[in-house]
């Protein structure tokens, strides 16, 4: 099970944070600080896993962003990396060649996509097509709502 | 809405105000506060979304929770969605408005749109509490059987979070949740397995009933995610259900052989390692696959493989090809990646054995020199070496040198451990002391580099070296005058000593005084110099600000003033420090009973066990040994003790072919005494040369005192591996293995004496673990010199499998037999020897005889018999007196056979050690029984177990009953004429 997902820029700015286990805000920030300094200081030539407290951090760098998943000791690390990659691919298809700016200006969209991929720290949909289909349907619903409001 | 700002505008604004973002954000928050109060729901919704963004930057939004709930409750999806997003980002199960959401959830779960319900479920998984769960359970149950797979899937996953908050809910949901294992939608199925996996992690036993269904899914699925989750579940379940591993072999083999996904493959390997029994074919397959992971170019895979190998090594000790792994681990240690390095070091710790320990340590030491963070390497070295009381260390001199090198590192956090080991080894390994003292002196007496009058080793090591110098000064190389002087000088005069902490200074002072006290014995000519040194240097220590340094210095000074520079009077002071220190168990002091009578000695003074008596034999006629081997037990030679050592001393021992000492001892001594090069040299380099020389001269055999001294009367701790014995009995002191092997090496018997030659055999103790027994064989020529005897071979019966033998049997002599042949070893498989009785192994002796006159050699073949004593294949059975009497009373059917024998001896000093020796040689476990304190009689019980049955049998061998014991009762009665020993042997009926 994934405990939390973090997107951290190379400068150490949080671009997305999602905790799947309840965690007070203060602890979240402390964790982000600790984890990002750990990961940003790692050389690119080392492996993508590290032990942290009682958990394992699996991370991968895509362009300027680090995608970090915190999983439990007995989870499969490779699966976590695959899952992160799955998320990145969905973002990429949705935004079309996604970059950090897309995630800054559409942070809520990134969350919506994540919500379609993961729920309570588990993968719910492994098909990219299905994820994008659900997202576009919901986007359409919001559009309809807007239009209905304007007409009304 | 003029002041309304979109999210994009705000983000742009924040980016534009680099430097004073917080000011701008404060302005935005003020705006948002107004917007939140607005009646317009889309304004409110946008405000909440903007707040959610600011939360990510670290701004608090707890003040807006009520607004968030309001937005969640709007009718339109466009305004509702940001509300749910904000609540799942910022609410927790503790948020107090949580209860307000219950009705929202109820409403949205019943929505026409699956996305409205889906968003609500997503949010619920984040903020659920026990109260919320209780109220919406019925709605969730109906969602579980919703017609939409999208909702079923989300609900199943969300349920696990709810169970965590509200455990009783699990009972309600379980039947419906279990039904989902039959769901036709792959996504829902995966989700359900996922939820059961998480549940099983909490308590696997409850889910054993699901095994048939899960197994069915595993066999039929092609889905990688699902397979991994199932493999995880089975890892948890298979330890609980003994039938499961056998069932899993087929699907696991299938996955291992067919899957293309590395994550699945890896999980399958992990599953095999964790759940399969050792030795099965699938384990071999999995380890083979793991090997390819280990050699992969992907460093992630290498790391995972290394990590899993830790488990493999732990669980399957024999199965792994360690050599390969060892190299791999050593290269991984060099990796810059700390995670990999740590795992590799942990692994290295588990896979070293004495054969590769030295190499591993050298490598670690090299890395530690290169790396900046080197403590990890050093810690690993120390941990490996100390394991099982230095079981891995074969060459202690070498290891001490390593410790010396490590101690050069001043700021290692292991400095104290290094010093501790340094001392500990010297206490436990007497043979290494001469080397150690010289090394210690070298470490302290570092040539002053560029006038820097400081010591180049860490402080704890200074204390350790000082202690060694004082304690083992007698082991300093002879002539030791110079060493004594320089030792005392470096301990007292070096200015840097006075800069060290008080405890170390005290150690140095006392070590110097011990040197002084030992001088008359080892370096009499330097008494005056040492005395003067003490008298001149100690006063500066007396003035020390540290009280205990001052006190100790005063004491030392007084001793020096009392005995003066007079060797005669100093001789009498030897007793002050005469007693040797032994390795003491760390908690021994705590075990001393509190109510101590101070007049009574703490330790009962034990009589020193007489060291092994040299055999009274003429070294020029080694064969007489064969007939006098009984003497090895010391029965006969006891009265002649005085003359015995002389006789061996007179002959030149190394000329005997049975001489067991090292032939090159003298050469070694000469080499070791080579005059040291006067030029200034790194002491470690010098010591390294010495080590080389020592090795070339044949490395000394080290014996380690692995037992600790415990307080008498203390209850033996269970980890001591001792059999709890009833209070009145004592385990018989069985001599150490080395002594027994020495004894055995002298027990030669004649197994053939014929026309041309004689054959002698020596039977060693069987190796119980390898189930082998080693024989040593020799031939001697008996015929006239004109006959040529050659190519002597011994052919064993085929059932006695001999390792070294080829088609023609074991060759004893290749080519012609001169006077006597050298020793030839033969390792027999001991499994077929089952019967605990005297056994004659029928062999054929073959050789060629040729007379000088005739051309053709004549082949000879004679039947001979190798006689194995009855006790050869017994195994010592550690038992207490109580368990033996239990055995005697309950297994009387196995003790039908009884023989008795009476022997009488002249009185001997230490009967119990004699019996101990006998017991050791005959593979018995011995205990001494208590007798009334008035009588001098003694009683012993010896127990040995027969060989376990095996498939292979030899002619004339039968299997003994399983678990049968041979019990031997010895009673020694003291009579005026001498000692009468009555031996009764009880065994099973033949």
């Amino acid at each position: 099970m994934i405990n939390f997902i973090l997107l951290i820029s190379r400068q150490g700015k949080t671009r997305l944070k999602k905790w799947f286990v309840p965690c007070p805000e203060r602890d979240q920030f402390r964790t982000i600080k600790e984890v990002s300094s750990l990961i940003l200081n790692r050389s690119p030539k080392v492996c993508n896993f590290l032990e942290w407290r009682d958990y394992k951090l699996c991370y991968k760098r895509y362009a300027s962003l680090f995608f970090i998943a915190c999983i439990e000791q007995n989870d499969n690390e490779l699966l976590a990396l695959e899952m992160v990659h799955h998320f990145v691919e969905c973002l990429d298809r949705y935004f079309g060649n996604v970059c950090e700016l897309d995630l800054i200006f559409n942070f809520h969209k990134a969350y919506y996509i994540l919500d379609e991929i993961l729920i309570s720290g588990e993968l719910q949909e492994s098909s990219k097509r299905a994820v994008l289909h659900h997202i576009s349907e919901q986007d359409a619903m919001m559009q309809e709502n807007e239009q209905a409001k304007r007409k009304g | 809405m003029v002041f309304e700002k979109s999210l994009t505008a705000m983000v742009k604004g924040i980016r534009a105000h680099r430097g004073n973002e917080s000011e701008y954000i404060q302005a935005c928050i003020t705006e948002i506060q107004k917007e939140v109060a607005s009646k317009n729901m889309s304004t409110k919704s946008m405000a909440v979304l903007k707040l959610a963004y600011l939360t990510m930057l670290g701004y608090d939004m707890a003040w807006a929770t009520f607004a968030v709930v309001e937005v969640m409750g709007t009718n339109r999806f466009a305004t509702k969605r940001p509300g749910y997003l904000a609540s799942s980002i910022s609410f927790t199960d503790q948020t107090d408005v949580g209860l307000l959401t219950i009705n929202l959830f109820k409403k949205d779960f019943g929505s026409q749109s699956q996305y409205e319900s889906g968003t609500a479920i997503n949010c619920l998984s984040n903020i659920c509490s026990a109260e919320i769960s209780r109220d919406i359970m019925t709605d969730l149950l109906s969602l579980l059987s919703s017609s939409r797979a999208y909702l079923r899937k989300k609900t199943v996953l969300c349920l696990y979070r709810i169970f965590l908050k509200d455990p009783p809910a699990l009972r309600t949901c379980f039947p419906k949740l279990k039904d989902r294992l039959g769901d036709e939608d792959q996504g829902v199925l995966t989700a359900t397995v996922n939820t059961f996996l998480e549940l099983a992690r909490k308590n696997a036993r409850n889910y054993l009933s699901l095994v048939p269904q899960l197994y069915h899914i595993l066999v039929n699925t092609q889905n990688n995610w699902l397979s991994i989750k199932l493999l995880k579940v089975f890892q948890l379940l298979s330890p609980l259900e003994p039938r499961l591993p056998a069932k899993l072999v087929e699907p696991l083999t299938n996955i291992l052989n067919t899957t293309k996904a590395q994550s699945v493959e890896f999980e399958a390997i992990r599953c095999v390692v964790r759940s399969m029994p050792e030795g099965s074919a699938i384990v071999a397959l999995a380890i083979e696959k793991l090997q390819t992971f280990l050699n992969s170019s992907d460093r992630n895979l290498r790391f995972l493989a290394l990590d899993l190998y830790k488990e493999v090594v732990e669980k399957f000790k024999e199965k792994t090809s360690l050599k390969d792994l060892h190299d791999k681990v050593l290269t991984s240690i060099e990796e810059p990646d700390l995670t990999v390095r740590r795992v590799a070091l942990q692994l290295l710790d588990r896979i070293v054995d004495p054969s590769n320990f030295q190499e591993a340590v050298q490598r670690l030491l090299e890395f530690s020199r290169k790396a900046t963070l080197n403590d990890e390497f050093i810690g690993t070295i120390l941990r490996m070496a100390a394991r099982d009381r230095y079981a891995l260390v074969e060459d202690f001199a070498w290891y001490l040198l390593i410790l010396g090198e490590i101690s050069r590192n001043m700021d290692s956090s292991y400095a104290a451990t290094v010093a501790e080991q340094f001392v500990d080894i010297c206490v436990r390994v007497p043979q290494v002391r001469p080397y150690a003292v010289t090394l210690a002196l070298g470490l302290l007496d570092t040539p002053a580099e560029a006038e820097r009058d400081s010591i180049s080793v860490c402080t704890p090591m200074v204390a350790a070296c000082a202690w060694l110098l004082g304690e083992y000064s007698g082991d300093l190389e002879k002539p030791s005058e110079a060493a004594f002087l320089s030792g005392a000088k470096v301990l007292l005069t070096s200015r840097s000593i006075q800069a060290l902490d008080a405890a170390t200074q005290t150690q140095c002072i006392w070590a110097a005084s011990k040197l002084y006290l030992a001088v008359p014995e080892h370096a009499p000519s330097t008494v005056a110099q040492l005395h003067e040194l003490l008298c001149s240097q100690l006063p500066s220590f007396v003035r020390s600000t540290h009280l205990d340094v001052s006190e100790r210095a005063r004491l030392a000074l007084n001793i020096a003033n009392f005995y003066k520079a007079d060797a005669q009077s100093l001789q009498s002071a030897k007793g002050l420090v005469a007693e040797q220190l032994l390795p003491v168990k760390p908690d021994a002091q705590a075990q001393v009973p509190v109510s101590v009578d101070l007049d009574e000695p703490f330790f009962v003074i034990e009589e020193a066990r007489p060291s092994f008596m040299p055999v009274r034999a003429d070294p020029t006629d080694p064969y007489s040994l064969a007939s006098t081997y009984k003497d090895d037990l010391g029965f006969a030679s006891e009265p002649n003790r005085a003359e015995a050592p002389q006789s061996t001393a007179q002959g030149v021992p190394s000329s005997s072919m049975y001489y067991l000492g090292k032939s090159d001892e003298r050469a070694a001594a000469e080499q070791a005494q080579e005059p040291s090069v006067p030029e200034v040299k790194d002491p470690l380099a010098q010591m390294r040369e010495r080590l080389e020389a020592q090795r070339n001269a044949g490395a000394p055999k080290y014996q380690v005192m692995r037992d600790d001294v415990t307080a008498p009367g203390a209850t033996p701790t269970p980890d001591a591996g001792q059999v709890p014995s009833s209070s009145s009995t004592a385990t018989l002191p069985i001599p150490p293995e080395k002594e027994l092997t020495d004894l055995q090496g002298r027990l030669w018997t004649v197994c053939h004496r014929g026309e041309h030659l004689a054959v002698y055999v020596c039977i060693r103790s069987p190796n119980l673990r390898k189930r082998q027994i080693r024989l040593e064989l020799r031939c001697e020529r008996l015929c006239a010199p004109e006959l040529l005897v050659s190519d002597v071979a011994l052919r064993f019966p085929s059932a006695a499998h001999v390792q070294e033998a080829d088609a023609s049997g074991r060759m004893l002599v290749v080519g012609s037999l001169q006077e006597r042949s050298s020793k030839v070893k033969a390792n027999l498989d001991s499994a077929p020897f089952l019967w605990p009785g005297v056994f004659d192994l029928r062999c054929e002796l073959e050789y060629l005889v040729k007379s000088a006159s005739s051309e053709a050699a004549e082949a000879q073949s004679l039947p001979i018999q190798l006689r194995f004593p009855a006790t050869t294949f017994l195994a010592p059975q550690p038992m207490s007196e109580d368990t033996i009497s239990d055995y005697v009373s309950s297994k009387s059917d196995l003790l039908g056979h009884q023989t008795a024998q009476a022997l009488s001896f002249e009185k001997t000093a230490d009967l119990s050690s004699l019996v101990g020796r006998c017991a050791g040689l005959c593979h018995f476990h011995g205990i001494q029984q208590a007798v009334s304190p008035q009588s001098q009689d003694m009683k012993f019980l010896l127990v040995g177990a027969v060989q376990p049955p095996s498939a292979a049998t030899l002619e004339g061998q039968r299997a003994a009953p399983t678990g049968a014991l041979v019990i031997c009762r010895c009673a020694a009665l003291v009579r005026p004429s001498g000692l009468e020993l009555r031996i009764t042997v009880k065994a099973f009926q033949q």
Side-chain angles (χ1 to χ4, degrees):
Chain A
M1 195 189 66
I2 297 172
N3 269 296
F4 59 81
I5 292 257
L6 282 179
L7 266 65
I8 308 266
S9 76
R10 226 166 26 153
Q11 286 79 33
K13 288 235 161 63
T14 315
R15 294 305 177 205
L16 182 143
K17 66 172 173 85
K18 172 92 182 170
W19 256 258
F20 296 100
V21 286
C23 173
E25 201 110 322
R26 214 161 356 108
D27 297 348
Q28 288 188 13
F29 281 109
R30 202 175 300 142
T31 304
I32 291 174
K33 224 172 168 181
E34 200 179 321
V35 166
S36 52
S37 76
L38 268 178
I39 286 181
L40 294 176
N41 287 329
R42 276 171 79 86
S43 111
K45 281 199 190 122
V46 304
C47 79
N48 295 43
F49 315 120
L50 71 158
E51 309 217 328
W52 171 76
R53 297 193 190 165
D54 287 339
Y55 304 101
K56 282 186 287 202
L57 297 174
C58 302
Y59 69 95
K60 195 150 186 185
R61 187 176 154 178
Y62 292 90
S64 59
L65 277 182
F66 284 92
F67 285 67
I68 304 162
C70 169
I71 59 172
E72 270 162 46
Q73 273 300 342
N74 40 18
D75 278 322
N76 189 312
E77 299 89 342
L78 294 173
L79 200 63
L81 281 188
E82 273 180 42
M83 205 231 35
V84 164
H85 188 70
H86 178 53
F87 179 41
V88 174
E89 281 192 318
C90 289
L91 288 174
D92 202 51
R93 286 210 192 168
Y94 181 78
F95 289 106
N97 210 356
V98 68
C99 66
E100 198 182 336
L101 273 185
D102 289 325
L103 299 184
I104 295 173
F105 284 104
N106 298 292
F107 88 100
H108 52 300
K109 299 269 174 68
Y111 275 101
Y112 294 148
I113 294 173
L114 189 58
D115 277 347
E116 287 306 321
I117 296 173
L118 293 172
I119 179 169
S120 61
E122 303 287 358
L123 182 90
Q124 55 171 322
E125 186 54 73
S126 58
S127 148
K128 287 182 272 293
R129 242 192 38 224
V131 169
L132 291 171
H133 169 74
H134 292 315
I135 290 290
S136 63
E137 294 243 302
Q138 291 178 61
D139 283 353
M141 271 172 74
M142 290 186 74
Q143 290 294 323
E144 279 163 30
N145 272 319
E146 292 293 317
Q147 280 158 11
K149 185 187 134 198
R150 248 168 246 158
K151 276 176 199 159
Chain B
M1 294 295 146
V2 269
F3 51 83
E4 190 177 321
K5 202 184 278 166
S6 74
L7 175 68
T8 321
M10 185 182 79
V11 175
K12 270 188 184 155
I14 295 175
R15 291 171 68 79
H17 288 76
R18 208 157 271 164
N20 52 355
E21 283 140 341
S22 58
E23 228 169 86
Y24 179 79
I25 290 173
Q26 277 309 326
C28 287
I29 290 179
T30 326
E31 258 175 46
I32 292 170
Q33 278 168 343
K34 281 183 204 146
E35 288 166 17
V36 159
S38 146
K39 287 259 169 351
N40 185 326
M41 275 302 158
S42 21
T43 312
K44 218 177 213 177
S45 164
M46 181 53 79
V48 164
L49 190 61
K50 284 194 281 186
L51 261 185
Y53 183 81
L54 294 180
T55 316
M56 228 161 54
L57 302 183
Y59 291 86
D60 181 39
M61 66 174 287
W63 55 270
T65 45
F66 194 77
V68 172
V69 177
E70 268 185 305
V71 173
M72 284 162 76
T74 59
N75 287 323
R76 289 181 310 121
F77 189 62
T79 45
K80 189 194 284 289
R81 205 179 179 194
Y84 272 115
L85 174 63
S87 73
S88 50
I89 288 179
S90 67
F91 287 12
T92 68
D93 49 341
Q94 306 293 321
T95 311
D96 45 4
V97 292
L99 290 177
L100 297 176
T101 56
I102 294 173
N103 282 324
L104 299 180
F105 285 136
K106 276 182 181 288
K107 195 181 100 200
D108 284 334
F109 286 165
S111 160
Q112 285 297 309
S113 160
Q114 63 173 349
Y115 295 116
E116 285 194 342
S117 316
T119 314
I121 299 172
N122 258 337
C123 180
L124 177 69
S125 77
N126 277 321
I127 68 171
C128 183
S129 65
E131 290 86 4
I132 300 179
S133 154
R134 277 196 284 277
D135 284 336
I136 59 170
M137 196 30 79
T138 46
D139 305 76
L140 282 174
L141 281 176
S142 62
L143 276 177
L144 259 187
S145 36
S146 153
S147 60
R148 290 156 169 160
Y150 180 78
L151 292 181
R152 292 203 300 275
K153 187 167 62 187
K154 279 187 187 277
T155 313
V156 165
L157 288 172
C158 175
L159 274 177
Y160 175 64
R161 293 254 132 251
I162 290 170
F163 296 151
L164 286 185
K165 294 289 163 204
D166 181 23
L170 175 57
R171 218 164 264 265
T172 333
C173 291
F174 188 76
K176 282 210 158 186
L177 194 58
K178 195 179 154 194
D179 288 345
R180 294 278 68 83
L181 281 178
D183 205 293
E184 69 277 7
D185 184 275
Q186 278 292 311
V188 182
L189 189 60
T190 313
T192 315
V193 171
N194 224 326
T195 301
F196 277 120
L197 166 63
E198 293 301 327
L199 287 170
R201 279 183 177 160
K202 298 280 176 208
N203 182 2
R205 198 166 289 281
N206 288 354
Y207 304 95
L208 276 173
S209 64
L210 300 178
V211 164
Q213 272 175 290
L214 293 172
Y215 184 80
H216 180 76
I217 303 172
L218 179 71
V219 174
N220 292 309
T221 186
Q222 292 295 321
N223 183 327
N224 289 343
W225 299 82
L226 186 53
S227 304
I228 290 178
K229 297 293 173 185
L230 282 166
L231 290 172
K232 287 250 178 236
V233 179
F234 282 119
Q235 277 168 41
L236 293 169
L237 295 182
S238 52
L240 304 173
E241 170 56 69
R243 288 168 298 176
L244 200 48
K247 288 277 278 178
L248 284 174
V249 169
E250 201 194 320
L252 280 174
T253 317
N254 221 340
I255 293 174
L256 282 175
N257 283 330
T258 58
T259 187
K260 292 198 173 52
Q262 281 167 326
S263 49
V264 180
E265 190 179 343
F266 186 73
E267 199 57 59
I269 296 173
R270 185 140 60 183
C271 189
V272 171
V273 169
R274 289 195 181 153
S275 53
M276 291 297 164
E278 183 165 1
S280 45
I282 189 163
V283 170
L285 177 67
I287 289 176
E288 189 191 314
K289 297 268 174 193
L290 190 57
Q291 202 92 41
T292 60
F293 272 79
L294 197 64
N295 296 325
S296 152
S297 58
D298 184 340
R299 64 179 76 88
N300 284 340
L301 298 183
R302 284 205 305 270
F303 165 72
L304 290 177
L306 217 50
D307 201 27
L308 187 57
Y309 251 115
K310 274 199 299 193
E311 278 176 54
V312 173
V313 172
E314 201 101 298
K315 200 171 159 197
F316 313 115
K317 288 196 176 67
E318 308 285 326
K319 257 293 192 205
T320 38
S321 51
L322 285 175
K323 177 67 195 135
D324 238 29
L325 183 62
H326 189 74
D327 294 342
K328 207 78 210 164
V329 168
L330 280 180
T331 46
S332 308
I333 283 168
E334 256 178 301
E335 294 223 14
D337 189 344
L338 284 177
T339 321
V340 175
R341 195 193 287 172
R342 188 165 310 133
V343 172
L345 285 176
Q346 286 166 354
L347 193 54
L348 182 67
D349 199 353
R350 285 169 216 208
I351 59 174
V352 280
D353 58 54
S355 67
N356 52 28
F357 175 70
Q358 290 208 1
E359 187 203 341
V361 168
Q362 295 288 9
R363 291 283 284 275
L364 285 173
L365 209 59
E366 265 165 52
F367 298 147
S368 79
R369 282 196 208 107
K370 280 186 253 164
T372 42
L373 290 166
N374 54 14
D375 259 14
E376 225 170 314
F377 296 122
I378 288 171
T380 311
I381 296 179
L382 297 175
R383 205 168 49 235
M384 289 193 303
R387 181 153 12 109
D388 299 334
R389 300 232 191 288
Y390 314 102
L392 288 171
V393 185
E394 276 178 343
D395 188 342
F396 281 95
W398 163 83
Y399 184 63
L400 288 181
L401 191 60
I402 296 282
L403 288 180
E405 244 163 274
I406 296 175
S407 69
R408 283 280 178 87
N409 180 344
M410 306 293 267
D411 44 330
S412 166
S413 61
Y414 290 103
T417 322
V418 172
E420 220 167 80
Q421 285 195 4
F422 200 79
V423 170
D424 194 33
I425 288 176
C426 295
V427 172
R428 286 177 194 278
V429 190
Q431 292 85 346
V432 84
R433 285 175 199 159
Y435 186 83
V437 197
T438 320
L439 177 62
L441 183 58
L443 282 172
L444 288 181
D445 197 10
T446 317
E449 254 172 60
E451 302 305 312
R452 198 163 50 97
D453 192 14
S454 70
I455 287 170
S456 62
V457 289
C458 56
T459 318
M461 196 65 173
V462 173
C465 289
W467 185 82
L468 283 185
L469 265 183
E471 181 68 20
Y472 299 122
S473 55
D475 286 316
L476 275 168
E477 207 170 275
K478 307 269 171 354
S480 50
E481 277 79 2
F484 264 82
L485 262 184
S486 66
K489 218 173 258 169
V490 78
L491 286 171
L492 291 178
T493 56
S494 163
R495 238 179 303 135
S496 53
I497 293 276
Q498 292 200 30
L500 298 175
D501 61 279
T504 313
Q505 287 189 47
T506 322
Q507 293 254 31
C508 290
I509 294 169
W510 197 240
S513 357
K514 272 157 96 181
L515 280 177
Y516 165 68
L517 291 173
V519 141
E521 202 172 345
H522 302 291
S525 63
T526 53
V527 176
Q529 280 159 291
L530 266 177
H531 179 255
E532 202 210 304
L533 190 71
L534 249 63
C535 290
S536 63
Q537 294 300 327
L538 282 174
S540 70
F541 283 97
V542 172
R543 287 192 296 273
S544 166
T545 48
H546 298 294
L547 267 184
D548 40 355
V549 174
S550 166
E551 191 187 7
R552 189 61 67 94
R554 208 178 293 271
L555 174 61
L557 196 57
N558 280 333
I559 290 177
N561 286 334
F562 181 79
Y563 290 110
K564 307 262 171 8
D566 177 10
Q568 280 296 316
S569 67
L570 205 48
Q571 191 82 35
S572 63
K574 209 174 59 179
L576 279 178
V577 288
E579 202 155 304
Q580 282 258 335
L581 292 164
L582 292 170
V584 177
K585 221 177 159 64
D587 54 352
Q589 180 71 52
Q591 291 179 348
V592 175
V594 188
S595 54
V596 190
D597 180 2
L598 289 177
D599 294 333
E600 242 180 318
F602 280 114
F603 294 94
V604 182
I605 297 154
E606 280 176 34
E607 248 177 84
R609 199 183 301 157
S611 58
F612 171 66
M613 288 298 300
V615 178
R616 212 164 30 101
D618 181 4
T620 53
D621 179 16
Y623 299 108
S624 63
L625 281 177
S627 52
T628 61
Y629 70 85
K630 277 200 197 79
D631 213 33
D632 280 340
L633 306 175
F635 288 125
S637 63
E638 203 72 26
N640 304 318
R641 187 194 279 262
E643 71 190 59
Q646 278 171 6
S647 63
T648 37
Q650 280 158 4
V652 183
S654 47
S655 70
S656 153
M657 65 190 234
Y658 289 114
Y659 176 63
L660 291 163
K662 284 184 291 296
S663 59
D664 43 13
E665 200 172 58
R666 199 171 308 160
E670 274 165 13
Q671 230 162 334
Q673 282 179 11
E674 265 181 344
S676 57
V677 197
E679 67 191 62
V680 176
K681 248 185 163 184
D682 181 7
L684 286 185
Q686 277 176 357
M687 292 311 283
R688 209 167 291 133
E689 277 166 22
R690 253 182 87 117
L691 182 66
E692 279 307 310
Q694 207 169 359
R695 277 193 186 170
N696 292 340
K701 271 217 159 174
Y702 296 112
Q703 252 183 309
V704 189
M705 290 191 259
R706 292 205 159 84
D707 294 328
D708 291 321
V709 174
T710 49
T715 43
T717 39
D719 64 354
Q722 280 177 339
V723 181
S725 54
S726 57
S727 56
S728 61
T729 59
T731 308
L732 210 54
I734 305 266
E737 203 173 326
K738 186 170 174 296
E739 195 181 324
L740 284 181
T741 338
D742 275 358
L743 284 175
Q744 261 171 353
R746 297 169 189 232
L747 298 176
W748 287 80
T749 50
V750 186
C751 62
H752 170 76
R753 189 176 268 275
E755 184 188 349
H756 299 110
L757 72 164
V759 178
Y760 301 88
V761 63
C762 171
I763 298 170
R764 297 295 193 154
S765 282
N767 184 331
L768 294 174
R769 196 170 53 78
K770 290 193 193 155
R771 306 204 78 176
Q772 274 185 351
I773 181 161
R774 195 170 94 206
L775 308 181
E776 283 161 7
L777 298 149
R778 279 180 195 276
C779 305
E780 188 196 17
R781 223 181 118 89
L782 295 177
C783 53
E786 65 270 13
L787 286 176
L788 257 177
V789 179
S790 62
D791 295 332
V792 187
L794 195 59
R795 197 189 287 276
F796 289 91
S798 60
H801 181 73
V802 180
Q803 265 183 357
E804 292 86 352
D806 44 29
S808 61
R810 179 73 180 133
M811 291 304 289
L812 302 186
V813 182
V814 181
S816 70
L817 172 63
Q818 300 303 325
E819 194 75 339
R820 287 153 196 162
S821 76
S822 56
K823 202 156 70 177
V824 171
K825 287 171 191 161
N827 280 310
L828 261 68
D829 186 4
S830 73
F833 296 91
L834 302 169
W835 189 250
V838 178
F839 178 64
D840 291 323
L841 185 66
R842 290 203 185 91
C843 306
E844 293 275 307
L845 182 70
E846 291 172 357
Y847 56 92
L848 300 174
V849 184
K850 199 171 94 172
S851 64
S853 54
S854 74
E855 276 301 301
E858 190 189 338
Q860 294 273 349
S861 170
L862 299 166
I864 65 165
Q865 294 190 332
L866 289 183
R867 170 158 288 198
F868 290 90
T871 57
T872 311
F873 295 101
L874 290 179
Q877 184 77 13
M879 284 172 103
S880 70
E881 197 179 353
D882 298 342
T883 43
I884 295 174
S885 62
D886 276 355
Y887 179 85
V888 173
S889 56
S890 65
K891 299 275 179 60
S892 56
D893 54 321
L894 285 182
L895 292 168
H897 181 71
Q898 183 169 342
T899 49
Q901 200 173 6
L903 304 163
S904 47
F905 298 99
E906 287 177 39
K907 265 185 195 146
T908 140
D910 187 0
L911 188 66
S912 65
S913 82
L914 265 181
V915 178
R917 240 181 256 168
C918 295
L921 280 178
C922 300
H923 315 110
F924 280 115
H925 171 82
I927 52 180
Q928 185 169 0
Q929 283 179 293
V931 282
S932 64
Q934 290 85 26
S935 86
Q936 287 177 294
D937 300 350
M938 289 198 235
K939 281 184 182 171
F940 304 95
L941 268 177
L942 309 180
V943 202
V946 301
Q947 282 250 68
S950 78
T953 47
L954 266 174
E955 191 196 344
Q957 286 280 348
R958 277 169 298 161
T962 323
L965 299 177
V966 177
I967 296 175
C968 205
R969 180 172 290 164
C970 302
L973 311 171
V974 180
R975 296 278 174 273
S977 56
L979 196 66
E980 201 167 297
L981 197 63
R982 291 187 189 156
I983 303 171
T984 318
V985 180
K986 280 191 165 201
F988 50 88
Q989 193 74 50
Q990 286 185 7

